[in-house]
Amino acid sequence: MKKKKLVIISHTEHYTNENGIIMGWGSTINEVNFLADYWEEVYHVACLYDTKMPLSSLPYSKNNITFVPIPPFGGKKMIDKFLIFTKIPRIISQVIRTIDGASEVQLRLPTSMGLFLLPLFSFFINRKFTLWIKYAGNWEQEKAPLSYRIQRTWLKKNWANCKVTINGFWENQPKHCLSFENPCLTINDLEQGKIISKDKKFDSPFIFTFVGRLESAKGVDRIIEALQSIPLDKIVKVNFIGDGEKTAFYKEKTNFLKEKIQYHGFLDKEKVHRVLSKSHFLLLPSDSEGFPKVIAEAACFGVVPIVSNVGAIPHYINETNGFVWDLNSKENYTNILNKAIYTNSSELKEQSNKTQEVAQKFTFINYLEKLNRLVFIS
């Protein structure tokens, strides 16, 4: 039996394509499309931009999904951050109208909206629905922005009186804060991944892949520095999937790779999986993460991760299924990358097999089962 009405509130970027169809950030849209099978109605309150959309954008595929636009907010300039105060009344109005009659409401944090929506849901709304908050960021980030720290404190103190789903498993974790895996894989993805990875060999040369925003915080500078230490005959190809303001700069910095480098821009899920299916190593030495879905997607295809020990990443990735670089150690990422490529091929194959066990935790079905068992209870 389907639940009645789900309302999701997020800062997910949406756009209108040339045919007037609403498109949104692919990973979130996939999740909403899946959840729509289990509710009579699904409403997604999120930001609508009038700029060019990335290639990773997807349309909603279910007829019972309604997109409710709110004005975009935030930005790098201080004036952009302050402009959110002019948009608060409209955002609150849209939220209040949309949650009328809801049976379940999901608020996705951290986001600037959390600073006024958390008090709204905590003290000013008579809740006749189940509220749960999905905190997608790094739950124990030490140098988090002030707004993130405020939201985490609010959630840890449980002033919103609701269940909170978080990345990872933490010491002294409050009982209402539940460890969840962000869903990104279908059962069909797992089956395809097993077939593809079964025949994957880890003999040099290798294919390396990065997926994410092309910026220093994601570790792109570290990746390029590390790749400069590798003999070219150890490299078949290096894929950068994503985009950013420094893309042109990075392209110039990687000229030494010649024809062995490819910048794909943002890609949809199917094309990302196509690249990952041929890859040997995932490169992601980020400064901060919750748990990046791309690690689970790469794991599905037996790609061995070479990642930093931030957020919940070391809760899933260790020496048995990948290579974890300590961001705060004196050892640099270059050493970890070299250690990986000179590891015995049979050991790498074993790590590849082990990493697929991680992927099994990140299915949509597993996500729904945990929601029903841990969140939607009286």
Side-chain angles (χ1 to χ4, degrees):
M1 182 178 178
K2 289 187 176 182
K3 299 182 186 298
K4 184 180 178 183
K5 178 181 177 181
L6 170 65
V7 177
I8 299 170
I9 305 164
S10 78
H11 63 287
T12 303
E13 298 174 359
H14 286 72
Y15 310 84
T16 305
N17 71 5
E18 62 275 9
N19 297 317
I21 297 173
I22 297 295
M23 310 278 283
W25 185 251
S27 61
T28 303
I29 300 304
N30 280 328
E31 181 180 335
V32 177
N33 284 335
F34 170 79
L35 293 174
D37 287 336
Y38 301 92
W39 273 266
E40 293 177 7
E41 300 176 282
V42 175
Y43 289 77
H44 191 183
V45 182
C47 301
L48 180 62
Y49 289 75
D50 60 2
T51 55
K52 183 180 179 181
M53 67 181 182
L55 294 177
S56 58
S57 301
L58 293 175
Y60 293 106
S61 62
K62 307 296 172 61
N63 293 329
N64 61 332
I65 300 174
T66 300
F67 170 64
V68 181
I70 56 175
F73 53 84
K76 294 185 176 180
K77 296 180 180 178
M78 190 60 65
I79 184 64
D80 295 329
K81 297 181 186 300
F82 278 108
L83 281 175
I84 190 174
F85 292 104
T86 67
K87 302 172 182 179
I88 289 176
R90 181 179 170 187
I91 293 173
I92 290 178
S93 176
Q94 286 283 49
V95 167
I96 291 176
R97 282 202 299 267
T98 307
I99 63 174
D100 183 40
S103 53
E104 289 80 25
V105 174
Q106 181 198 72
L107 174 59
R108 300 169 76 104
L109 301 178
T111 170
S112 300
M113 289 192 299
L115 294 175
F116 56 87
L117 290 183
L118 276 175
L120 179 71
F121 280 105
S122 301
F123 306 125
F124 299 102
I125 289 180
N126 180 22
R127 298 206 309 244
K128 298 180 180 179
F129 49 80
T130 298
L131 171 69
W132 93 94
I133 293 172
K134 180 176 181 178
Y135 192 92
N138 183 346
W139 186 246
E140 293 292 341
Q141 185 178 355
E142 294 182 1
K143 298 180 180 180
L146 177 60
S147 65
Y148 287 19
R149 297 201 302 273
I150 292 172
Q151 291 172 68
R152 278 190 314 191
T153 298
W154 197 289
L155 298 177
K156 287 180 178 180
K157 299 291 186 181
N158 202 20
W159 292 332
N161 191 27
C162 68
K163 299 292 178 62
V164 181
T165 62
I166 63 176
N167 294 298
F169 307 84
W170 304 95
E171 188 177 354
N172 299 320
Q173 182 174 314
K175 290 183 178 180
H176 68 281
C177 296
L178 309 172
S179 300
F180 263 60
E181 289 78 24
N182 284 328
C184 57
L185 297 167
T186 65
I187 298 302
N188 184 61
D189 290 332
L190 292 182
E191 291 173 350
Q192 289 295 112
K194 287 179 181 178
I195 294 171
I196 290 170
S197 61
K198 182 179 179 181
D199 296 326
K200 184 172 290 188
K201 293 180 172 56
F202 283 83
D203 298 314
S204 174
F206 301 108
I207 297 175
F208 304 85
T209 297
F210 166 89
V211 183
R213 296 185 306 277
L214 299 185
E215 60 183 16
S216 297
K218 284 288 186 178
V220 177
D221 297 83
R222 297 184 185 111
I223 291 172
I224 294 173
E225 180 182 0
L227 289 171
Q228 289 174 330
S229 72
I230 298 177
L232 286 180
D233 61 6
K234 292 282 186 182
I235 300 173
V236 175
K237 192 174 186 181
V238 178
N239 299 293
F240 280 98
I241 300 175
D243 209 342
E245 295 179 359
K246 296 178 67 177
T247 299
F249 169 77
Y250 289 135
K251 285 183 177 180
E252 184 176 345
K253 290 275 287 184
T254 51
N255 280 338
F256 68 93
L257 290 168
K258 300 178 182 178
E259 74 283 353
K260 297 188 176 188
I261 183 78
Q262 183 172 358
Y263 287 85
H264 299 263
F266 285 113
L267 299 176
D268 61 34
K269 176 182 175 181
E270 182 179 341
K271 292 177 180 176
V272 170
H273 284 192
R274 200 176 302 159
V275 174
L276 290 173
S277 68
K278 299 177 182 179
S279 301
H280 298 99
F281 295 107
L282 176 74
L283 309 179
L284 194 62
S286 304
D287 289 343
S288 180
E289 297 281 0
F291 184 88
K293 290 181 179 180
V294 67
I295 294 179
E297 291 181 294
C300 178
F301 295 96
V303 183
V304 176
I306 311 175
V307 293
S308 52
N309 66 333
V310 295
I313 291 177
H315 300 179
Y316 296 91
I317 305 301
N318 53 54
E319 67 278 359
T320 69
N321 57 18
F323 297 86
V324 182
W325 170 58
D326 186 348
L327 186 66
N328 298 314
S329 71
K330 294 181 179 180
E331 185 175 29
N332 58 35
Y333 185 69
T334 297
N335 291 347
I336 301 298
L337 181 57
N338 275 275
K339 178 182 177 182
I341 67 169
Y342 288 107
T343 296
N344 182 280
S345 61
S346 61
E347 292 181 38
L348 291 174
K349 182 62 177 178
E350 181 62 25
Q351 287 178 313
S352 173
N353 293 337
K354 286 287 187 181
T355 199
Q356 286 195 302
E357 297 174 11
V358 173
Q360 295 172 16
K361 301 176 185 291
F362 289 82
T363 63
F364 291 106
I365 290 296
N366 183 56
Y367 179 61
L368 182 67
E369 186 276 327
K370 290 184 76 170
L371 283 176
N372 285 324
R373 177 164 50 88
L374 301 175
V375 176
F376 304 143
I377 54 178
S378 56

